[in-house]
Structures are given as C-alpha cells and as structure tokens.
Amino acid sequence: MNDLMTELFKLIKLQNPIFALEYPLQERPNLLSNIAFECELQNIKCYLWSFEDDSLYQLQIDTGKLTLQSVSEYQPKEKSRQEHYFEILRFWKFTQLQGVLILEGIFPWLTSNSEFLTSEWIKSALINLKLYNRNSPKTAILLGPNASLSPDIAAEVVTLYQQLPTIAEITTCLKQLLPEYNCSEIDETAQAGVGLYIADIEYAIKHIIASGLFEPREFTKHLLAYKVNLFKRVHNIEFLQPPAMKIGGLELMQESFLKYKQLMTPLAQAYNLRIPKGVLLIGPPGTGKSYSAKVCSQLLGIPMMIVEWGNFRSYGDQAQFKLKKLLALVDRIDRIIFYLDDFDKGFAGDDDLGRRLAGMLLTWMQERTSNVLIIASANNLELLPPELTRCGRFDDIFKVDLPNNGERHEIFKIHLARFDQRFRNGSDVYSEQEWRRLLKETYRCVGAEIGAIVEKAAASTFCLMFENSTNDQAPLGQGVGCGVWGVREEIAPTTSCVQAPSSLHPTPYPLHPIFDDNYSQLPPLEITVAALLEARQNINPLAIREADKVERMRNRASLQGLPSSPIDDSVYSHGNINIFS
C-alpha cells in the first residue's frame, strides 16, 4: 500500500468522521479500486455516492475487478429544492450503515462562486456530520480533482492529496507492464514518464504497443512525445528537451549559466551550495531573453518548461489551483528549467489575483528543495512587485540590452548561415567595410529584428533567382530561367513538376531536369549586403520607433541588473574605428 493509502486508512482507523481527498480525474478508477480492495482486507464496508445520479452504491472486488452494487436503503428525494440533491449527507448522519462513504461532486458547491444558501447548507451539514458521527465507525471522504475548501470549514476537514508518482513507483509499474525490458531500459523509460500519473503511463503504453512499437528507444521517444503533448493540453505549457543552438554575444550571462551547471552537481551539494533561487532577465523586447533561456537549457543539458505567466490571469478563480498543480509538477520532474515568459504581464492589472499568485510563487521558491532553475523574463521592471526583486528571491538579475556592434555581427552570421551556406562553419565572406556599413545601418536593431532582416533579404534573393519559376506557360530550359541558372538552352524541356499549395498556385509549376525530387542540386542562395540593406529599409526598429519607452526600460534595467555582455572589443566596436583610413 502506497503512502496515500496508508495515510487514508490511518484516518479511518482513528474514526475521523470526515476528510477530503484530492485526486486527478484519470486516477479515479485506480483510486476507487485501491480503496475498495483495502476495505475488503480490513472487513470495512465501502460505499460510493456521486452527484451525477444521486444514488448510493457499495464497492466490492469480484475476481480482482471493481463492481458497484446498488444500496436500497438510500432513496433520493424529489428535487424541489437544491439542498435535496445532497440528501445523502443527512442520510449518512442517521443511517445504521457503517463503513466508508465516498462522496463525489461536492467541492464545486463549497467555493465562493457557488449558490450561497446551498453552499451554507452543505457546510452546516458537513460540520454536523463530523459532530454527530465522532467516535463512530462511519467515515465520509470528500473526493474530487480540486479539493478547494472555504476557509470557514478548512480547519474542520483534513485534506489529503494524491501526489505525482515518484521515479521508484513508475519503475515498479513499468516492470509489470514491460516485463521484457532490462533494468537500464526500464530506467530510461521511467525517466521519460516522470511528471505523468500512473494512469497516464498505462494509457500511453497501451497505445504505443497497439501501434506496433516495442523497440526500447522508439518506445521511450513516443512516451516522451505523449508527455509533451499532454503537458501542453492540460497545463498550457511547452516542454522542450535541451536544444542545439548558437547565440551571438551575452558571454557574461553564459559564464553564469556554466556556473549553475557546476552548482547542480552532487559535489556542490555536499558543500551545501545551491543554484540561485531565481534568475531574472530584464530588457527591451526582442533582445534575446527567451533565446537566452533556451541556451541555458542547452548548456546545462536539462529540459525546459516554458510558461506564459500572464495566462494565469485568464483562469480566474482556478488560477491558484492551476499554479499549485504546475509547481507540484515542476518539483516532481526536478532537474529542469522553469521559464516564466513575459513575467511582468502577470502583474499588469495590479489586482488581488496577481498578488496572490506572486505570493504562491514566492513561497514555493523559498521552500522548495528540488533542483529547479527558475528563469523569468520581463520587459517592464516597474510592473513587478518590489518583493520579487529583492535578494533571496531572484538572486541574479541580468540586463539583456541592445546588442553592440560585435554582437550584431555574430547575430547576423548565425541568421545568414540558415540560408547562405557560405556562412556555415563560422565562415565570413563580407569585407570589413561591408560589415561596418551594415552594422551602422542596423544600429539599435535587436536580435529578432536582425533575424527578420536576413529572412526578408533571403526571400528577395530567392525571388530574383527564380523569378519565372511559377510561369507554367514556358518550360524551363527554353530561355525563361536559363540566364538566371546558367543552364544551356539545348537542355530538353522537363515534364516533371511539383504541386504548390493550392491557395497560391492552382496549377503545378515545372522543375528543371537537373534538380531531383530532393532539391539536392539546387544552386546556392547567396545573400548580398545590398539585399540586407534593402531589407533594413522595410524594418522600423522598436528602439527607434518607441525610443522613450525603450530607453526607460534600459535605464531601469541598468539600475538593478548585471551586464550580460562584456565591453565590445571586436574589430567593429566604436573604439576600434580608424578615422584616418
């Protein structure tokens, strides 16, 4: 019997008349079976009532399966008043039946949004039930996925919670479900299932096996994909494995990330050292805060969970419950980066909900023992409550500023390498004069804007190279595309074609015969400085368009944040310009 069942039956043996149990909906069949099975072992009658049909059933285990037998002693009343839907509470107080009564569907009526008179009647009935049945062999269990109790009865009703399974519990489950796997394969699969309930894992394994997959690596890969998809649907989050990516600049911040990796080792923990309780990235939009968090995931080699903090406001009364569940999930996964994107937007309303959520987060940050690195990004530091930015909450605060010349040079090369193969493997084909002109024209452009400039330049270069590729009247090779591609005119017209998206090209357009179906022989895309400068004219940088707001953000960030980048010492820095050349 696991810890939850042990605690639950301890309360039953102590003849506690009423307590609450919060459980995930998908675990309901397993939970009811476990309670019924243990009740049979201890010779205790077990009953179930649900709000759905207002009927009472006795839970029994027959040949290892859970069965429900109708109990004739309970006869529902005609529902002329709302309280009559909960007549079961009055019945259990006076009935001669003994044992455990599981009550489902009552929690929603105990919240502040429920109908007042009905809510007060239920609260009074529960308190009287506890008083009347004290020291008797009758226990009522309030069961539901969200055990929210109003403060006036919270002290009267003990609440138990079903936690996410540990890695040891998942391993035990997998040994039964996958008996042909060896220990190392079970461990790898169990690691992929951390953060899921046992019922989720059983469901995923059943469907993966049904699809014909049983090879351990593929099996683990599909289980992880199922988990990522489930997290997105249930918690509205992104769960990313450590990416492979490059970043231009921000060397000081990257050095700190590498120190965090050292602090997460058992050796550091033996010295009572720990990672920061939180890391805050502040600066204008588009400067690379989210990108930096992904780089941290790469450097530390641990997955990353991305949460839009402002989304919690849309959950209303469910916001605190959602946050509590999410923090429990993060704690269970343990070695992970918990990234709170647009952290300041969650406090834009300056209302009670934002303060309550901040209080929950701060309490968790202060008390947690898991190896979770919390990174939050914010544009407007003025929106954050002062208690969030004091030392001991977010220990490290970095100012992610507009990139300097050297950083823009690196960012350009990273984006150019996506389209122009000449820039791959660290190569550089532009002259120093060309770079200086390009960097001067992109002054105050952030990384996101540089990426847009390169993409626009790549698109315009492509359109010039293949400006007639959509012309289905004249076959390529007969003078239409030969000048651009350098293909001789005597090459015969092609009959091969590919179908473009119907919304853009209703008829297929031809491909040249020297290109196979995989486009492996396409001519290279070479982006010129002129194309980049032209694309720059179509971009109005935020730091110029909203100069006052951006400068206010930068100045505030400079007061509280550590620099993310060293002083520019590249050949393109302002201090390295030769005015006599």
Side-chain angles (χ1 to χ4, degrees):
M1 190 165 55
N2 60 31
D3 294 340
L4 177 65
M5 290 292 106
T6 301
E7 189 67 25
L8 187 149
F9 278 91
K10 185 186 294 184
L11 292 175
I12 293 174
K13 287 181 180 179
L14 292 173
Q15 296 185 337
N16 194 313
I18 185 171
F19 60 90
L21 175 58
E22 182 175 289
Y23 75 102
L25 196 59
Q26 61 267 43
E27 284 287 335
R28 180 179 183 269
N30 290 337
L31 184 67
L32 293 178
S33 296
N34 291 337
I35 293 176
F37 181 77
E38 191 63 29
C39 281
E40 282 207 358
L41 288 180
Q42 301 190 24
N43 197 26
I44 300 173
K45 295 291 180 68
C46 184
Y47 304 96
L48 173 67
W49 175 89
S50 65
F51 183 71
E52 175 196 4
D53 57 2
D54 191 18
S55 297
L56 186 63
Y57 301 95
Q58 183 177 351
L59 300 182
Q60 295 177 328
I61 301 296
D62 185 10
T63 63
K65 294 184 178 179
L66 181 68
T67 61
L68 281 74
Q69 301 294 331
S70 181
V71 178
S72 59
E73 286 88 342
Y74 177 66
Q75 297 296 328
K77 283 188 175 183
E78 183 181 351
K79 307 299 187 291
S80 59
R81 298 170 59 183
Q82 286 187 339
E83 303 90 75
H84 292 162
Y85 285 94
F86 304 96
E87 186 63 26
I88 185 66
L89 298 176
R90 196 194 309 270
F91 169 82
W92 187 248
K93 182 167 66 173
F94 297 111
T95 183
Q96 297 301 313
L97 297 177
Q98 297 181 349
V100 175
L101 172 63
I102 301 173
L103 299 164
E104 289 190 300
I106 290 183
F107 286 126
W109 295 88
L110 298 177
T111 64
S112 58
N113 285 337
S114 57
E115 203 276 335
F116 177 74
L117 291 179
T118 304
S119 175
E120 291 301 310
W121 186 92
I122 294 173
K123 292 176 187 177
S124 177
L126 291 175
I127 294 173
N128 288 331
L129 191 65
K130 181 177 181 179
L131 179 64
Y132 195 87
N133 286 343
R134 71 186 187 281
N135 301 322
S136 70
K138 295 166 69 173
T139 299
I141 303 176
L142 306 181
L143 198 62
N146 182 1
S148 297
L149 296 172
S150 57
D152 49 349
I153 65 167
E156 298 291 329
V157 182
V158 177
T159 304
L160 302 180
Y161 300 92
Q162 175 150 334
Q163 306 292 344
L164 285 160
T166 63
I167 190 77
E169 292 171 335
I170 295 175
T171 300
T172 302
C173 171
L174 291 177
K175 286 179 179 178
Q176 298 173 357
L177 297 174
L178 304 170
E180 298 181 13
Y181 278 22
N182 59 40
C183 291
S184 63
E185 292 167 345
I186 288 289
D187 291 342
E188 187 177 351
T189 307
Q191 200 64 46
V194 173
L196 297 176
Y197 286 102
I198 296 297
D200 295 324
I201 294 173
E202 291 174 344
Y203 178 85
I205 288 177
K206 185 186 300 183
H207 280 261
I208 294 173
I209 293 176
S211 64
L213 290 172
F214 205 76
E215 196 276 324
R217 287 191 177 181
E218 285 297 315
F219 195 95
T220 301
K221 180 180 176 182
H222 280 73
L223 178 59
L224 186 60
Y226 171 82
K227 179 171 78 170
V228 171
N229 184 50
L230 186 66
F231 284 173
K232 188 172 184 63
R233 289 188 287 113
V234 175
H235 299 286
N236 194 24
I237 60 174
E238 288 187 66
F239 187 85
L240 304 178
Q241 292 300 313
M245 58 200 311
K246 295 181 179 180
I247 185 170
L250 305 179
E251 291 87 353
L252 297 180
M253 186 193 299
Q254 293 184 66
E255 290 175 6
S256 295
F257 291 163
L258 291 174
K259 291 179 182 178
Y260 301 159
K261 186 175 184 179
Q262 286 183 279
L263 294 174
M264 295 182 75
T265 61
L267 179 61
Q269 293 171 5
Y271 283 93
N272 291 324
L273 298 173
R274 59 169 179 81
I275 56 177
K277 288 188 177 294
V279 179
L280 184 60
L281 311 179
I282 52 178
T287 49
K289 297 184 289 294
S290 299
Y291 201 84
S292 299
K294 294 178 182 178
V295 169
C296 183
S297 172
Q298 175 188 334
L299 293 176
L300 270 61
I302 59 177
M304 175 178 174
M305 186 181 292
I306 305 176
V307 179
E308 293 284 346
W309 181 255
N311 286 349
F312 283 108
R313 299 179 64 85
S314 63
Y315 296 132
D317 289 339
Q318 290 289 307
Q320 289 177 275
F321 172 71
K322 291 277 189 180
L323 181 57
K324 182 184 75 171
K325 286 295 185 184
L326 186 58
L327 295 179
L329 172 64
V330 172
D331 262 332
R332 179 60 74 198
I333 296 176
D334 195 20
R335 295 176 63 85
I336 190 174
I337 293 175
F338 187 40
Y339 177 54
L340 305 172
D341 197 13
D342 290 332
F343 193 45
D344 50 333
K345 291 184 180 178
F347 306 96
D350 191 27
D351 56 4
D352 185 56
L353 177 59
R355 287 189 289 272
R356 292 201 308 269
L357 293 174
M360 284 186 65
L361 180 67
L362 290 177
T363 301
W364 175 76
M365 290 173 65
Q366 194 69 30
E367 298 177 354
R368 68 184 173 86
T369 57
S370 55
N371 282 312
V372 178
L373 178 60
I374 305 164
I375 302 180
S377 66
N379 299 326
N380 193 347
L381 200 59
E382 295 176 355
L383 295 178
L384 297 181
E387 60 269 21
L388 280 173
T389 56
R390 76 164 176 83
C391 190
R393 299 291 167 77
F394 285 95
D395 296 329
D396 288 347
I397 302 178
F398 291 101
K399 175 190 178 184
V400 187
D401 203 0
L402 304 178
N404 56 43
N405 281 3
E407 289 176 325
R408 291 204 306 283
H409 172 247
E410 292 300 320
I411 295 171
F412 261 115
K413 290 201 298 181
I414 291 173
H415 286 293
L416 285 166
R418 294 164 50 203
F419 308 100
D420 193 333
Q421 61 185 12
R422 299 175 300 168
F423 287 89
R424 291 166 192 170
N425 301 319
S427 300
D428 192 344
V429 298
Y430 297 161
S431 68
E432 182 178 331
Q433 289 73 19
E434 288 176 314
W435 273 118
R436 288 194 182 279
R437 183 184 177 192
L438 182 59
L439 296 176
K440 180 180 178 181
E441 292 296 326
T442 54
Y443 175 65
R444 295 182 72 82
C445 286
V446 297
E449 291 162 344
I450 291 173
I453 289 171
V454 173
E455 196 156 336
K456 286 178 179 291
S460 63
T461 302
F462 167 81
C463 291
L464 287 175
M465 288 174 64
F466 305 103
E467 57 183 344
N468 297 307
S469 62
T470 58
N471 186 348
D472 58 352
Q473 302 299 321
L476 299 182
Q478 293 188 347
V480 176
C482 302
V484 176
W485 291 347
V487 180
R488 294 187 302 172
E489 292 188 6
E490 58 265 23
I491 294 179
T494 181
T495 57
S496 64
C497 61
V498 296
Q499 180 67 45
S502 58
S503 62
L504 299 178
H505 303 289
T507 57
Y509 59 88
L511 287 177
H512 200 278
I514 66 171
F515 303 149
D516 59 23
D517 292 338
N518 295 323
Y519 304 102
S520 60
Q521 300 179 29
L522 283 173
L525 193 73
E526 297 185 351
I527 303 174
T528 64
V529 174
L532 293 170
L533 292 173
E534 182 180 355
R536 164 64 185 86
Q537 301 305 313
N538 298 320
I539 297 289
N540 189 6
L542 178 68
I544 296 177
R545 187 173 70 251
E546 300 285 350
D548 292 344
K549 293 181 181 179
V550 170
E551 285 307 306
R552 188 161 56 248
M553 292 179 190
R554 295 180 68 200
N555 292 335
R556 185 67 187 271
S558 297
L559 292 175
Q560 293 190 251
L562 300 171
S564 301
S565 307
I567 297 175
D568 185 9
D569 60 355
S570 70
V571 68
Y572 302 107
S573 69
H574 292 297
N576 291 331
I577 297 177
N578 185 357
I579 62 174
F580 300 105
S581 61

